[in-house]
Amino acid sequence: MKSVVVTKPKEYKIIESEIPELNSDYEVLIKMKAAGVCGSDYHIYHGTNPNSTYPLIPGHENVGVVEKVGSKVTMVKEGDHVAIDLIITCGECYQCKIGRENICENVLVRGSGTDGGFREYLTAPEDDVYIIPKNIPFKDAALIEPYAIGAHTTTRGRVVSDDIVFILGAGTIGTIIMQTCKAKGATVISCDINQESLERAKGYGADYIINSQNENIIEKVQEITKGKGVTIAFDAACFQGSLTSLFEKGLIRNAGRIVSLGFCTEPEAISQAMIDVRELDLIGSRMSAYQFEPVIKDFEEKKYNLDGIVTDFIKFSQIDKVFYNIDHPNPKVKKMVILFD
Ligand SMILES: [Zn+2]
Ligand SMILES: [Zn+2]
């Protein structure tokens, strides 16, 4: 089998090896079918992901077919289509016990802290795989993980139908959060500097769009919300100052929630007063917990319009194209998915 290994920042190679053996009776062998390429894979390749180790096989948005099962496996069988969870947890710590396994104190992430799915076969414990109905094509199933993020972050933010939501960033994750908020019945304002991304967000259901390149965010939000401000804001842009901008007077109303989703390490300029005067909630959000199964059900019910969310499907045999696109950012390449034979 072939694997793609990032040996160190900005260097990768394709290695040949034997198909892995099962490490325990509870494991399954999976033949990869599709793997999404995420912003964090860009950071891994560029050496700017604080959580990645090298050498590393990237890829955390993985789906495939079960090819072999260990003798004690009971929940999946050969031939099942599965999505593979990215999170490996201890099951013992405080966070695991209170249902926050995504932030387990011993968490290991497939595709960043340990090897991921940019390879033809991998093994995983049966507990880490979720069966996908066969009518969901693999090319769509690769999006289960990013939609699990949408489900998680909107759960963290407690989004309900009464909410009027502001989403900074209309890239793939911003769009997925927007669709998830819409599915929960909320009203959504998408904001970005790229008009094409905004038009796209509108096509996927955004109620309002703001181009912050040529429109004043606060004025527009005030106009849309009739002077009240939004009830919740998501930072899906994650650049220095993006989080601070959500605290600007007029954007969010008293008792609002602000959800942050990035790993930007630059300091922000948020004072206690900015939080306390309006009694805002600042909520952190990372990956997802217990969202794969509900999202698989949503996909089965065709709850989300997935058409065009992936802009580039690339064959595993043409993996060089993936790294070329990572090195040559093109606004038209919004989301890549690697397809295996
Ligand atoms: Zn991802
Ligand atoms: Zn744990």
Side-chain angles (χ1 to χ4, degrees), residues 36-41 60-61 86 145-146 149 173 335:
V37 182
C38 178
S40 63
D41 297 316
H60 59 267
E61 301 173 0
L86 67 167
E145 193 276 334
I149 292 180
I173 284 294
K335 176 80 184 169

Side-chain angles (χ1 to χ4, degrees), residues 160-325:
V160 293
S161 58
D162 283 344
D163 277 313
I164 172 144
V165 185
F166 177 85
I167 302 173
L168 188 65
T172 302
I173 284 294
T175 301
I176 290 173
I177 295 169
M178 186 275 294
Q179 285 182 315
T180 311
C181 289
K182 286 303 296 173
K184 293 186 178 199
T187 303
V188 184
I189 306 168
S190 286
C191 178
D192 203 285
I193 52 170
N194 182 308
Q195 190 62 26
E196 192 220 318
S197 297
L198 288 168
E199 298 297 341
R200 191 168 173 258
K202 195 142 203 201
Y204 287 121
D207 297 284
Y208 303 95
I209 53 174
I210 300 176
N211 186 331
S212 56
Q213 195 92 292
N214 47 42
E215 291 175 300
N216 181 301
I217 297 176
I218 304 296
E219 276 172 24
K220 281 291 281 191
V221 166
Q222 284 288 304
E223 184 188 313
I224 294 163
T225 63
K226 300 187 173 57
K228 303 259 186 225
V230 298
T231 58
I232 178 163
F234 288 89
D235 182 2
C238 313
F239 53 85
Q240 184 177 17
S242 60
L243 188 59
T244 304
S245 75
L246 301 180
F247 286 83
E248 209 176 309
K249 206 164 173 290
L251 186 95
I252 194 153
R253 70 181 74 171
N254 292 4
R257 292 94 74 204
I258 292 178
V259 185
S260 165
L261 302 129
F263 284 157
C264 182
T265 54
E266 301 298 327
E268 295 286 324
I270 298 159
S271 67
Q272 284 192 334
M274 284 158 87
I275 299 172
D276 298 339
V277 168
R278 289 172 287 172
E279 211 172 68
L280 301 179
D281 288 359
L282 173 56
I283 302 166
S285 182
R286 183 181 178 196
M287 302 184 288
S288 61
Y290 302 104
Q291 296 292 356
F292 273 71
E293 282 163 314
V295 167
I296 290 168
K297 204 160 171 286
D298 291 343
F299 274 35
E300 205 182 355
E301 291 166 2
K302 299 197 187 326
K303 198 161 163 186
Y304 303 112
N305 176 6
L306 305 176
D307 285 348
I309 294 288
V310 178
T311 52
D312 295 74
F313 291 102
I314 296 172
K315 284 190 172 162
F316 184 62
S317 56
Q318 297 177 333
I319 192 78
D320 289 344
K321 268 194 191 169
V322 170
F323 288 96
Y324 178 89
N325 286 338

Side-chain angles (χ1 to χ4, degrees), residues 21-54:
E21 295 292 330
L22 298 178
N23 295 310
S24 87
D25 296 338
Y26 298 97
E27 279 202 340
V28 298
L29 175 71
I30 297 148
K31 185 176 197 293
M32 284 291 297
K33 284 292 183 181
V37 182
C38 178
S40 63
D41 297 316
Y42 286 54
H43 288 296
I44 286 166
Y45 182 52
H46 289 143
T48 50
N49 182 319
N51 302 316
S52 70
T53 53
Y54 302 91

Side-chain angles (χ1 to χ4, degrees), residues 73-85:
V73 168
T74 58
M75 291 176 301
V76 289
K77 57 182 191 308
E78 272 172 42
D80 279 344
H81 294 187
V82 289
I84 304 146
D85 205 327

Side-chain angles (χ1 to χ4, degrees), residues 89-97 101 103-107:
T89 62
C90 73
E92 301 289 330
C93 71
Y94 167 75
Q95 293 85 343
C96 280
K97 288 188 171 146
E101 59 163 23
I103 42 165
C104 162
E105 62 189 39
N106 302 302
V107 75

